[in-house]
Amino acid sequence: MEKEVISSSDKEKFLAASALFLKEFELSFTEYFTCLCMNYAKAVSKDEAKEIALTIYHGLFKCDYDIEEIREDLFVRMGHDGVMIGFLINRILFYVIENYLSFVRKQEIDSQVELLIGCVSHFIHVIESEVMPKVCNATAAFDVSFSSDVMFTPTNNIIEAFHTMRDDNQSVTFLNLYKGVPISSEASIVEIEGEQVTFRIDKLQEIAMKLDAQAFIVKNNYFNKHLKADIVHSDFQNNTVVLKNFIYLLNMPALQREFIRVHPDIIANVYLHQFDNMQTIGRLYDLSMNGLGVVSSENNGIFVGAKVLVAFELNSASISSVKGDKKIEVQGEVINVIEYKDSYRYCMRIVPNREMSDKILHYITKREREILEDLNNELNEYRV
């Protein structure tokens, strides 16, 4: 196709011509996706895998806004594992195309496979939109390799790009999160041996990478997607790190955050006031200027889209001890509910007023400094 956009009329045309296939294939799609999750994404329960499968299947032909909502839901449900999401999305959608071709051959009906590929390509493009360049070539949104293991460009192509970067004396940019705080710095390429690459790196970045147990590289002129790699060895005396198993990421959620999202150093009781002042009590999971997470063993009917009043207290070490300064009350909207075995995590968008914004900003700023101090302390232990 000449471009990545597929019109609503084209989607409707495919839906009308393929209604029988879509109806009969839904169960097979759900079972196959669930099987993939059970084998590869073991942290996802069977029931949740089925729910995710149906969300993807019913969202494949929807508008961009709805697909973007699916993307956000996927990243939360699957622990922000962009590689796994990319693998599952590409594997399952290729499965759709394979079975559609088999279906039209058996039924001896006119194939609308170009429209289906257009819908699939555009779905992937919207899922990837935060990390794909705004202008890309005609096949970029469907530029995947459907191998049995990984759905991305082979490692040797990535290694070749590192060779070119070293010859051009170009650096890479690493990004890791430590307790919610982004740690990012540039690094030079020291040596390339086979599929292992040695980088000279900032010491704080190296310890953040070590604690994260993985390395993340931000896309640049040599890579049109972000990269993830495994750590082979860290040398804190010489500030070098050896990486291998480079793979393209479908997304890097840390770059999508408008504000820093810190992990609180307190066990805060959060009261979610809703209908008839019914309360759901939980603990603060994370906090930013426009959002927060709450973990609770209670539900009390909370659902996605619910409007709530969130009230909690910050610890006195974080803000002024003047009476009342610790109290935070903000209006919020539940944007996702993640159900675990014995608890729930509520992800909320909040709209604090000026007074609450100042308190939250003060806490986040101080908490960020504390987290960086913790990271430096961790570094000192490794350098001994």
Side-chain angles (χ1 to χ4, degrees):
M1 301 184 71
E2 294 184 354
K3 55 184 179 180
E4 296 163 354
V5 176
I6 183 166
S7 67
S8 296
S9 61
D10 283 340
K11 291 182 180 181
E12 292 298 328
K13 182 179 178 181
F14 178 81
L15 290 172
S18 310
L20 180 60
F21 165 75
L22 293 172
K23 181 180 179 180
E24 293 186 357
F25 185 62
E26 181 174 320
L27 179 59
S28 177
F29 180 95
T30 304
E31 290 178 345
Y32 184 66
F33 184 86
T34 302
C35 180
L36 286 177
C37 283
M38 293 301 96
N39 282 280
Y40 294 99
K42 299 184 184 299
V44 179
S45 69
K46 187 174 182 179
D47 288 341
E48 188 167 28
K50 289 180 179 180
E51 291 179 7
I52 294 173
L54 290 173
T55 298
I56 295 171
Y57 195 70
H58 295 154
L60 181 58
F61 305 100
K62 289 189 175 181
C63 66
D64 289 3
Y65 177 81
D66 290 329
I67 297 175
E68 288 168 359
E69 291 291 318
I70 292 171
R71 177 187 63 204
E72 298 305 317
D73 181 61
L74 278 174
F75 274 91
V76 174
R77 282 173 177 259
M78 300 190 66
H80 301 282
D81 189 344
V83 172
M84 184 54 62
I85 295 170
F87 168 76
L88 294 175
I89 290 285
N90 285 290
R91 185 75 171 264
I92 193 65
L93 293 186
F94 187 57
Y95 182 69
V96 173
I97 295 171
E98 283 183 317
N99 280 269
Y100 175 75
L101 290 173
S102 176
F103 179 83
V104 296
R105 282 195 297 268
K106 289 180 180 179
Q107 297 293 326
E108 297 182 347
I109 58 177
D110 292 337
S111 172
Q112 304 286 334
V113 69
E114 288 189 3
L115 290 178
L116 176 58
I117 290 175
C119 293
V120 166
S121 176
H122 187 67
F123 184 88
I124 294 174
H125 170 66
V126 176
I127 292 289
E128 291 182 327
S129 62
E130 295 298 324
V131 297
M132 290 291 289
K134 295 299 180 183
V135 178
C136 54
N137 60 50
T139 60
F142 209 61
D143 183 18
V144 291
S145 173
F146 294 100
S147 70
S148 61
D149 298 315
V150 180
M151 301 301 158
F152 302 97
T153 302
T155 301
N156 62 320
N157 288 6
I158 296 175
I159 298 299
E160 288 174 8
F162 281 129
H163 278 287
T164 304
M165 291 186 69
R166 186 181 61 176
D167 294 341
D168 294 345
N169 197 30
Q170 296 295 312
S171 61
V172 301
T173 300
F174 284 102
L175 174 65
N176 289 83
L177 291 178
Y178 178 69
K179 296 183 179 179
V181 175
I183 310 296
S184 182
S185 65
E186 292 189 349
S188 59
I189 301 171
V190 177
E191 187 178 15
I192 303 174
E193 290 189 7
E195 295 186 353
Q196 296 187 1
V197 183
T198 302
F199 299 89
R200 192 169 306 282
I201 191 171
D202 175 80
K203 58 184 180 181
L204 208 60
Q205 189 73 49
E206 187 172 7
I207 185 60
M209 187 184 298
K210 178 76 172 180
L211 296 173
D212 211 1
Q214 289 177 320
F216 299 90
I217 298 176
V218 178
K219 67 180 180 180
N220 54 34
N221 292 334
Y222 299 84
F223 305 108
N224 68 350
K225 296 180 183 178
H226 307 299
L227 298 175
K228 184 178 82 166
D230 294 331
I231 301 170
V232 178
H233 175 68
S234 296
D235 184 344
F236 289 95
Q237 299 301 319
N238 296 308
N239 297 128
T240 58
V241 62
V242 182
L243 305 179
K244 69 175 183 179
N245 297 335
F246 295 91
I247 187 172
Y248 281 126
L249 283 175
L250 178 65
N251 212 333
M252 194 181 287
L255 288 176
Q256 299 175 20
R257 297 178 179 177
E258 184 179 357
F259 301 102
I260 290 176
R261 184 184 307 166
V262 298
H263 296 175
D265 60 341
I266 54 176
I267 299 177
N269 285 327
V270 180
Y271 301 88
L272 309 179
H273 302 270
Q274 48 179 3
F275 312 115
D276 299 322
N277 207 29
M278 182 181 293
Q279 294 184 357
T280 298
I281 301 175
R283 294 194 297 179
L284 197 60
Y285 178 81
D286 55 24
L287 177 66
S288 75
M289 293 299 297
N290 65 352
L292 57 81
V294 176
V295 175
S296 175
S297 61
E298 304 174 356
N299 180 265
N300 294 326
I302 291 181
F303 57 91
V304 173
K307 307 295 183 182
V308 295
L309 172 65
V310 186
F312 58 95
E313 286 194 0
L314 297 170
N315 60 341
S316 58
S318 304
I319 55 177
S320 170
S321 59
V322 177
K323 184 177 180 180
D325 275 359
K326 296 188 295 180
K327 185 74 172 181
I328 298 292
E329 286 191 353
V330 292
Q331 298 292 334
E333 178 184 357
V334 180
I335 60 174
N336 199 13
V337 178
I338 305 171
E339 186 174 353
Y340 300 108
K341 184 177 181 180
D342 55 359
S343 63
Y344 302 85
R345 177 147 65 96
Y346 304 106
C347 304
M348 284 168 281
R349 183 183 295 113
I350 59 173
V351 187
N353 59 27
R354 179 62 180 272
E355 180 187 0
M356 296 298 120
S357 290
D358 289 344
K359 291 182 184 180
I360 293 173
L361 177 60
H362 185 82
Y363 172 80
I364 289 175
T365 302
K366 189 174 188 302
R367 180 63 185 143
E368 182 182 4
R369 289 197 298 266
E370 292 171 352
I371 289 172
L372 292 176
E373 288 177 7
D374 290 344
L375 190 58
N376 273 295
N377 292 334
E378 290 279 358
L379 175 64
N380 291 333
E381 292 186 13
Y382 276 90
R383 299 183 72 180
V384 173

Short mmCIF file of all heavy atoms in Angstrom, two decimals, residues 178-179 181 183 202-208 211 236 239 368-384:
data_model
loop_
_atom_site.label_atom_id
_atom_site.label_comp_id
_atom_site.label_asym_id
_atom_site.label_seq_id
_atom_site.Cartn_x
_atom_site.Cartn_y
_atom_site.Cartn_z
N TYR A 178 14.76 4.12 37.56
CA TYR A 178 15.09 3.66 38.91
C TYR A 178 14.06 4.25 39.86
O TYR A 178 14.00 5.45 40.05
CB TYR A 178 16.49 4.09 39.31
CG TYR A 178 16.86 3.66 40.72
CD1 TYR A 178 17.04 2.32 41.04
CD2 TYR A 178 17.01 4.60 41.73
CE1 TYR A 178 17.37 1.92 42.33
CE2 TYR A 178 17.34 4.22 43.03
CZ TYR A 178 17.52 2.87 43.32
OH TYR A 178 17.83 2.49 44.60
N LYS A 179 13.20 3.38 40.40
CA LYS A 179 12.10 3.80 41.26
C LYS A 179 11.27 4.90 40.62
O LYS A 179 10.81 5.83 41.26
CB LYS A 179 12.65 4.26 42.61
CG LYS A 179 13.33 3.16 43.40
CD LYS A 179 13.80 3.63 44.77
CE LYS A 179 14.46 2.49 45.55
NZ LYS A 179 14.95 2.94 46.89
N VAL A 181 12.24 7.15 38.40
CA VAL A 181 13.00 8.30 37.90
C VAL A 181 13.81 7.89 36.68
O VAL A 181 14.57 6.91 36.74
CB VAL A 181 13.94 8.85 38.99
CG1 VAL A 181 14.83 9.96 38.43
CG2 VAL A 181 13.13 9.38 40.17
N ILE A 183 16.80 7.67 34.20
CA ILE A 183 18.25 7.87 34.21
C ILE A 183 18.72 7.72 32.77
O ILE A 183 18.59 6.66 32.18
CB ILE A 183 18.96 6.84 35.12
CG1 ILE A 183 18.30 6.77 36.50
CG2 ILE A 183 20.44 7.16 35.22
CD1 ILE A 183 18.40 8.04 37.30
N ASP A 202 28.33 6.27 31.55
CA ASP A 202 28.27 7.05 32.79
C ASP A 202 28.04 6.11 33.96
O ASP A 202 27.26 5.16 33.88
CB ASP A 202 27.13 8.07 32.70
CG ASP A 202 26.92 8.83 33.99
OD1 ASP A 202 27.68 9.79 34.23
OD2 ASP A 202 26.00 8.47 34.74
N LYS A 203 28.72 6.37 35.09
CA LYS A 203 28.67 5.45 36.22
C LYS A 203 27.27 5.31 36.81
O LYS A 203 26.86 4.22 37.21
CB LYS A 203 29.65 5.91 37.31
CG LYS A 203 29.41 7.31 37.84
CD LYS A 203 30.48 7.73 38.83
CE LYS A 203 30.22 9.15 39.35
NZ LYS A 203 31.29 9.56 40.30
N LEU A 204 26.51 6.41 36.85
CA LEU A 204 25.16 6.34 37.41
C LEU A 204 24.25 5.54 36.49
O LEU A 204 23.38 4.79 36.95
CB LEU A 204 24.60 7.75 37.62
CG LEU A 204 23.57 7.91 38.74
CD1 LEU A 204 24.16 7.51 40.08
CD2 LEU A 204 23.04 9.33 38.80
N GLN A 205 24.47 5.70 35.19
CA GLN A 205 23.70 4.92 34.22
C GLN A 205 24.00 3.44 34.37
O GLN A 205 23.10 2.59 34.28
CB GLN A 205 24.03 5.38 32.80
CG GLN A 205 23.12 4.80 31.73
CD GLN A 205 21.76 5.43 31.76
OE1 GLN A 205 21.66 6.65 31.80
NE2 GLN A 205 20.71 4.62 31.76
N GLU A 206 25.25 3.13 34.60
CA GLU A 206 25.66 1.73 34.69
C GLU A 206 25.01 1.03 35.88
O GLU A 206 24.56 -0.11 35.76
CB GLU A 206 27.18 1.64 34.80
CG GLU A 206 27.70 0.21 34.73
CD GLU A 206 29.22 0.16 34.65
OE1 GLU A 206 29.87 1.21 34.78
OE2 GLU A 206 29.74 -0.96 34.45
N ILE A 207 24.93 1.71 37.01
CA ILE A 207 24.32 1.08 38.17
C ILE A 207 22.80 0.97 37.99
O ILE A 207 22.18 -0.01 38.38
CB ILE A 207 24.67 1.82 39.49
CG1 ILE A 207 24.11 1.07 40.70
CG2 ILE A 207 24.13 3.24 39.48
CD1 ILE A 207 24.63 -0.33 40.84
N ALA A 208 22.19 1.99 37.36
CA ALA A 208 20.75 1.93 37.08
C ALA A 208 20.45 0.77 36.14
O ALA A 208 19.46 0.05 36.30
CB ALA A 208 20.27 3.24 36.46
N LEU A 211 20.80 -2.56 38.11
CA LEU A 211 19.65 -2.82 38.98
C LEU A 211 18.39 -3.14 38.17
O LEU A 211 17.51 -3.86 38.64
CB LEU A 211 19.41 -1.62 39.89
CG LEU A 211 20.54 -1.32 40.89
CD1 LEU A 211 20.27 -0.02 41.63
CD2 LEU A 211 20.72 -2.47 41.88
N PHE A 236 32.62 -1.72 36.90
CA PHE A 236 32.41 -0.42 37.54
C PHE A 236 33.72 0.34 37.76
O PHE A 236 33.70 1.55 37.97
CB PHE A 236 31.67 -0.61 38.87
CG PHE A 236 30.24 -1.01 38.71
CD1 PHE A 236 29.87 -2.35 38.76
CD2 PHE A 236 29.27 -0.06 38.47
CE1 PHE A 236 28.55 -2.72 38.59
CE2 PHE A 236 27.93 -0.43 38.30
CZ PHE A 236 27.58 -1.76 38.36
N ASN A 239 34.06 1.76 34.17
CA ASN A 239 32.82 2.31 33.63
C ASN A 239 32.50 1.78 32.23
O ASN A 239 32.20 2.54 31.31
CB ASN A 239 32.86 3.84 33.60
CG ASN A 239 32.97 4.43 34.99
OD1 ASN A 239 33.83 5.25 35.26
ND2 ASN A 239 32.11 4.00 35.90
N GLU A 368 12.55 12.72 44.09
CA GLU A 368 13.51 12.46 43.02
C GLU A 368 14.93 12.59 43.54
O GLU A 368 15.80 11.78 43.22
CB GLU A 368 13.26 13.43 41.85
CG GLU A 368 14.19 13.19 40.67
CD GLU A 368 13.98 14.19 39.55
OE1 GLU A 368 13.14 15.10 39.73
OE2 GLU A 368 14.63 14.05 38.51
N ARG A 369 15.19 13.63 44.35
CA ARG A 369 16.53 13.80 44.92
C ARG A 369 16.89 12.61 45.81
O ARG A 369 18.02 12.11 45.80
CB ARG A 369 16.62 15.10 45.71
CG ARG A 369 16.60 16.36 44.84
CD ARG A 369 17.10 17.56 45.62
NE ARG A 369 16.25 17.86 46.76
CZ ARG A 369 15.26 18.73 46.74
NH1 ARG A 369 14.97 19.38 45.61
NH2 ARG A 369 14.53 18.96 47.81
N GLU A 370 15.91 12.15 46.60
CA GLU A 370 16.15 11.02 47.49
C GLU A 370 16.48 9.75 46.69
O GLU A 370 17.37 8.98 47.05
CB GLU A 370 14.92 10.77 48.36
CG GLU A 370 14.65 11.86 49.38
CD GLU A 370 13.30 11.67 50.07
OE1 GLU A 370 12.53 10.79 49.65
OE2 GLU A 370 13.05 12.42 51.04
N ILE A 371 15.76 9.55 45.61
CA ILE A 371 15.98 8.37 44.77
C ILE A 371 17.37 8.40 44.14
O ILE A 371 18.07 7.38 44.08
CB ILE A 371 14.87 8.27 43.69
CG1 ILE A 371 13.54 7.88 44.36
CG2 ILE A 371 15.24 7.25 42.62
CD1 ILE A 371 12.35 7.95 43.44
N LEU A 372 17.79 9.57 43.67
CA LEU A 372 19.12 9.70 43.08
C LEU A 372 20.21 9.48 44.13
O LEU A 372 21.27 8.91 43.84
CB LEU A 372 19.29 11.07 42.42
CG LEU A 372 18.42 11.29 41.17
CD1 LEU A 372 18.59 12.71 40.65
CD2 LEU A 372 18.78 10.28 40.08
N GLU A 373 19.96 9.91 45.37
CA GLU A 373 20.90 9.64 46.45
C GLU A 373 20.99 8.14 46.72
O GLU A 373 22.08 7.59 46.93
CB GLU A 373 20.47 10.38 47.71
CG GLU A 373 20.68 11.89 47.66
CD GLU A 373 20.16 12.59 48.91
OE1 GLU A 373 19.76 11.88 49.86
OE2 GLU A 373 20.15 13.83 48.93
N ASP A 374 19.84 7.48 46.70
CA ASP A 374 19.82 6.02 46.87
C ASP A 374 20.63 5.33 45.78
O ASP A 374 21.36 4.37 46.03
CB ASP A 374 18.37 5.50 46.84
CG ASP A 374 17.58 5.89 48.07
OD1 ASP A 374 18.20 6.30 49.07
OD2 ASP A 374 16.34 5.80 48.01
N LEU A 375 20.48 5.83 44.55
CA LEU A 375 21.19 5.24 43.42
C LEU A 375 22.70 5.42 43.59
O LEU A 375 23.48 4.51 43.30
CB LEU A 375 20.71 5.88 42.12
CG LEU A 375 21.18 5.21 40.82
CD1 LEU A 375 20.76 3.76 40.78
CD2 LEU A 375 20.64 5.96 39.61
N ASN A 376 23.12 6.58 44.05
CA ASN A 376 24.54 6.81 44.30
C ASN A 376 25.07 5.91 45.40
O ASN A 376 26.20 5.41 45.34
CB ASN A 376 24.78 8.28 44.67
CG ASN A 376 24.98 9.15 43.45
OD1 ASN A 376 25.95 9.00 42.71
ND2 ASN A 376 24.06 10.07 43.23
N ASN A 377 24.25 5.67 46.42
CA ASN A 377 24.64 4.75 47.50
C ASN A 377 24.80 3.33 46.97
O ASN A 377 25.71 2.60 47.38
CB ASN A 377 23.62 4.78 48.62
CG ASN A 377 23.61 6.10 49.37
OD1 ASN A 377 24.62 6.81 49.40
ND2 ASN A 377 22.48 6.45 49.98
N GLU A 378 23.90 2.94 46.09
CA GLU A 378 24.01 1.62 45.46
C GLU A 378 25.32 1.52 44.67
O GLU A 378 26.01 0.51 44.69
CB GLU A 378 22.82 1.37 44.52
CG GLU A 378 21.49 1.17 45.22
CD GLU A 378 21.31 -0.24 45.73
OE1 GLU A 378 22.21 -1.07 45.53
OE2 GLU A 378 20.25 -0.50 46.35
N LEU A 379 25.65 2.59 43.96
CA LEU A 379 26.87 2.63 43.16
C LEU A 379 28.10 2.45 44.04
O LEU A 379 29.04 1.71 43.69
CB LEU A 379 26.97 3.94 42.39
CG LEU A 379 28.25 4.19 41.60
CD1 LEU A 379 28.39 3.14 40.49
CD2 LEU A 379 28.23 5.60 41.00
N ASN A 380 28.13 3.11 45.17
CA ASN A 380 29.27 3.01 46.09
C ASN A 380 29.48 1.58 46.54
O ASN A 380 30.62 1.13 46.73
CB ASN A 380 29.07 3.93 47.29
CG ASN A 380 29.14 5.41 46.92
OD1 ASN A 380 29.82 5.76 45.94
ND2 ASN A 380 28.47 6.25 47.66
N GLU A 381 28.40 0.84 46.74
CA GLU A 381 28.53 -0.55 47.18
C GLU A 381 29.16 -1.42 46.08
O GLU A 381 29.94 -2.32 46.37
CB GLU A 381 27.17 -1.11 47.56
CG GLU A 381 26.56 -0.48 48.82
CD GLU A 381 25.28 -1.15 49.24
OE1 GLU A 381 25.00 -2.25 48.69
OE2 GLU A 381 24.56 -0.58 50.08
N TYR A 382 28.81 -1.14 44.82
CA TYR A 382 29.35 -1.92 43.73
C TYR A 382 30.81 -1.57 43.42
O TYR A 382 31.54 -2.37 42.85
CB TYR A 382 28.51 -1.74 42.46
CG TYR A 382 27.31 -2.64 42.40
CD1 TYR A 382 26.08 -2.23 42.93
CD2 TYR A 382 27.39 -3.90 41.84
CE1 TYR A 382 24.96 -3.06 42.88
CE2 TYR A 382 26.29 -4.74 41.79
CZ TYR A 382 25.09 -4.31 42.31
OH TYR A 382 23.98 -5.14 42.26
N ARG A 383 31.22 -0.35 43.78
CA ARG A 383 32.57 0.10 43.45
C ARG A 383 33.58 -0.28 44.51
O ARG A 383 34.76 -0.05 44.35
CB ARG A 383 32.57 1.61 43.23
CG ARG A 383 31.67 2.06 42.10
CD ARG A 383 31.74 3.54 41.87
NE ARG A 383 33.00 3.93 41.26
CZ ARG A 383 33.32 5.19 40.95
NH1 ARG A 383 32.48 6.16 41.22
NH2 ARG A 383 34.47 5.47 40.40
N VAL A 384 33.10 -0.81 45.62
CA VAL A 384 34.02 -1.20 46.70
C VAL A 384 34.90 -2.37 46.23
O VAL A 384 34.42 -3.33 45.65
CB VAL A 384 33.23 -1.61 47.96
CG1 VAL A 384 34.19 -2.19 48.99
CG2 VAL A 384 32.49 -0.42 48.50
#
